[in-house]
Amino acid sequence: MSLPFSTLPSTARVSPTPFKASIPKDKLSELKQLIEVSKLAPRTYENSQADRRYGVTTDWLVTMREQWLTSYQWYYHISQIWKTSEDRINSFPQFTTNIEGIDIHFVALFSEKKDAVPILLLHGWPGSFLEFLPMLQLFRDEYTPTTLPYHLIVPSLPGYTFSSGPPLDRNFEITDVTRIMDQLMKDVGFESGYVAQGGDIGSRVARNLAVDHDSCKAVHLNVCFMRRPDGMSDVNLNALEKRGIQRMADFMSTGAAYAMEHGTRPSTIGHVLSTSPVALLTWIGEKFLEWVDDALSPEAILESVTLYWLTETFPRAIYAYRLNYPPPPIPASNDPRWYIKKPFGFSSFPMELAPVPRSWVETTGNLKYWEQHQKGGHFAALEQPQALKADVTRFVEQEWPGIVGGN
């Protein structure tokens, strides 16, 4: 029996394969063994600093490792907590479809309304489709398949979780991801138009979709990585905007080393973090600690890291960082080539990595909608699902009638 919200529109070109997350018992057993035998570093001055100025602390890692082993309740090689995660994931309609030889996994809530607006929701690193499940739950609680005003499509980008990785015999970049995401939306029935929303790497994919692909009619972002536009100063900025610029400067000074490693030595770090789940927890856990406003629960962090480990996501997913090394002369958001001419919406969260002022963002596209939030960080869909849902739907309600009328 099919799940509610799983009926594709009649305009779909393909019949994607229904999918259920199901991790083999031997993988779960291996994970438990590797957590148990993982060696931790000796205590040092650096890993004893409670403010995490030098990275995650030994105390945090010891606690998380213990929780990974105990609260996951390993009985007969089956993790009951992971089973709960699988059940939650599988409560949403999921599919796979092959595009250019890559199996693309996606979660979706399809509407039965003829005029429902298709919205593509794009994650980044170290995120996954899990980020958007709280938002999808809000939509599912509010609507039925016959009343939902939107089609909501949440793909796993190539290399992430249940999508297969990029090809082994050629280079693969953001433009390739963008093309595949556009093809996905066309294949499931939305060649006539859709809206793209993205954060982190997903923001770059969404920007590219708006600029290079006609079917993408509008775009909403919650991050804009850029430098100060030429000719602009801080004179007219308010206190919140100045704090945002300082946060970006601090991130570039002390928080961006991971990105340089991803971009310059992806093979090396990919091998390193594939040897130990505790090493992966350390690397990714730091981001879930530092890039948020209010702290995420240990359970949420462990769920994401567990999914990354069980699907061997990390080494397959960091290819996008190579675009930034050596650094391009102009960041994409500052480059006139990537100016968004279509309707453009933006949600600003104060603890984003680069919470840049509205006046900066306005130079990167045809900004039609702006919302400045007082809470929230880099993982907006996970941290503030209600706020992001409200922003995206207001933007769509504001702009889509004009888009449809203009076709």
Side-chain angles (χ1 to χ4, degrees):
M1 184 175 179
S2 62
L3 293 170
F5 302 100
S6 61
T7 302
L8 274 74
S10 60
T11 49
R13 300 175 177 178
V14 300
S15 297
T17 303
F19 177 86
K20 287 187 70 175
S22 180
I23 301 297
K25 293 180 182 179
D26 61 338
K27 278 198 170 186
L28 291 167
S29 178
E30 179 188 65
L31 171 59
K32 175 179 181 287
Q33 293 169 1
L34 290 172
I35 297 170
E36 287 176 330
V37 301
S38 291
K39 181 177 172 60
L40 301 185
R43 287 191 179 270
T44 65
Y45 171 79
E46 290 81 7
N47 64 34
S48 301
Q49 301 305 303
D51 62 4
R52 299 193 302 269
R53 74 187 77 168
Y54 301 117
V56 299
T57 66
T58 296
D59 287 345
W60 179 84
L61 191 58
V62 167
T63 300
M64 291 292 283
R65 179 177 179 271
E66 188 63 23
Q67 180 165 338
W68 215 352
L69 286 171
T70 58
S71 69
Y72 264 53
Q73 301 173 18
W74 303 85
Y75 298 123
Y76 305 107
H77 304 307
I78 301 174
S79 165
Q80 297 304 308
I81 295 295
W82 178 250
K83 180 64 163 57
T84 301
S85 292
E86 276 193 353
D87 290 345
R88 182 171 75 100
I89 292 168
N90 290 331
S91 74
F92 294 91
Q94 299 172 84
F95 306 87
T96 59
T97 187
N98 191 277
I99 302 174
E100 298 183 15
I102 298 175
D103 290 327
I104 298 296
H105 162 262
F106 64 98
V107 185
L109 295 182
F110 288 112
S111 174
E112 296 175 12
K113 288 174 63 72
K114 297 295 185 183
D115 60 349
V117 181
I119 303 176
L120 175 66
L121 300 166
L122 297 162
H123 67 80
W125 186 93
S128 70
F129 70 90
L130 289 178
E131 286 182 68
F132 287 103
L133 295 190
M135 267 183 67
L136 294 189
Q137 184 63 51
L138 292 173
F139 281 107
R140 194 165 62 174
D141 290 344
E142 184 175 355
Y143 299 104
T144 67
T146 58
T147 62
L148 180 64
Y150 318 101
H151 301 285
L152 301 156
I153 316 298
V154 184
S156 297
L157 298 182
Y160 286 79
T161 65
F162 300 115
S163 287
S164 59
L168 302 180
D169 58 351
R170 64 179 176 84
N171 194 22
F172 191 84
E173 298 182 345
I174 289 292
T175 53
D176 299 296
V177 177
T178 304
R179 185 179 64 254
I180 287 171
M181 292 297 102
D182 182 66
Q183 190 61 51
L184 170 65
M185 293 301 280
K186 291 176 179 176
D187 284 350
V188 297
F190 308 126
E191 184 170 10
S192 63
Y194 61 87
V195 176
Q197 196 289 323
D200 194 80
I201 293 168
S203 71
R204 179 66 192 275
V205 176
R207 181 176 289 274
N208 284 27
L209 284 167
V211 171
D212 280 350
H213 295 274
D214 291 340
S215 292
C216 180
K217 303 300 185 183
V219 63
H220 179 278
L221 307 180
N222 52 276
V223 66
C224 188
F225 295 111
M226 63 184 300
R227 70 187 186 197
R228 185 191 309 274
D230 293 341
M232 285 197 174
S233 70
D234 294 350
V235 173
N236 296 318
L237 300 182
N238 61 39
L240 180 64
E241 291 172 327
K242 290 179 180 178
R243 286 198 299 271
I245 292 174
Q246 185 60 52
R247 178 166 172 78
M248 179 174 65
D250 292 343
F251 169 72
M252 294 305 297
S253 296
T254 64
Y258 82 95
M260 184 175 293
E261 181 70 21
H262 288 190
T264 61
R265 291 294 185 268
S267 176
T268 301
I269 194 62
H271 282 299
V272 168
L273 297 186
S274 296
T275 62
S276 165
V278 175
L280 185 67
L281 170 62
T282 308
W283 192 262
I284 290 179
E286 179 189 80
K287 314 314 173 196
F288 284 123
L289 292 173
E290 297 295 324
W291 296 358
V292 298
D293 195 342
D294 292 334
L296 297 176
S297 69
E299 292 78 13
I301 296 173
L302 288 173
E303 182 180 53
S304 287
V305 176
T306 300
L307 180 63
Y308 261 50
W309 180 266
L310 294 173
T311 57
E312 300 181 321
T313 286
F314 182 83
R316 303 184 299 125
I318 56 174
Y319 53 87
Y321 286 87
R322 290 188 283 104
L323 287 176
N324 298 322
Y325 298 94
I330 305 174
S333 297
N334 293 91
D335 190 338
R337 161 76 175 84
W338 297 107
Y339 181 90
I340 299 169
K341 297 179 181 178
K342 296 169 183 175
F344 170 32
F346 198 90
S347 297
S348 180
F349 294 90
M351 294 302 285
E352 178 54 76
L353 304 181
V356 298
R358 175 174 182 164
S359 57
W360 292 24
V361 175
E362 286 176 332
T363 68
T364 76
N366 179 24
L367 190 66
K368 296 288 191 177
Y369 177 94
W370 171 274
E371 186 64 43
Q372 175 65 63
H373 294 278
Q374 301 304 308
K375 295 287 293 181
H378 185 65
F379 304 99
L382 187 60
E383 297 177 63
Q384 299 289 331
Q386 189 71 258
L388 189 62
K389 171 181 177 287
D391 286 356
V392 173
T393 54
R394 280 197 291 260
F395 171 65
V396 169
E397 290 165 4
Q398 173 183 299
E399 297 300 327
W400 191 258
I403 292 169
V404 173
N407 284 344

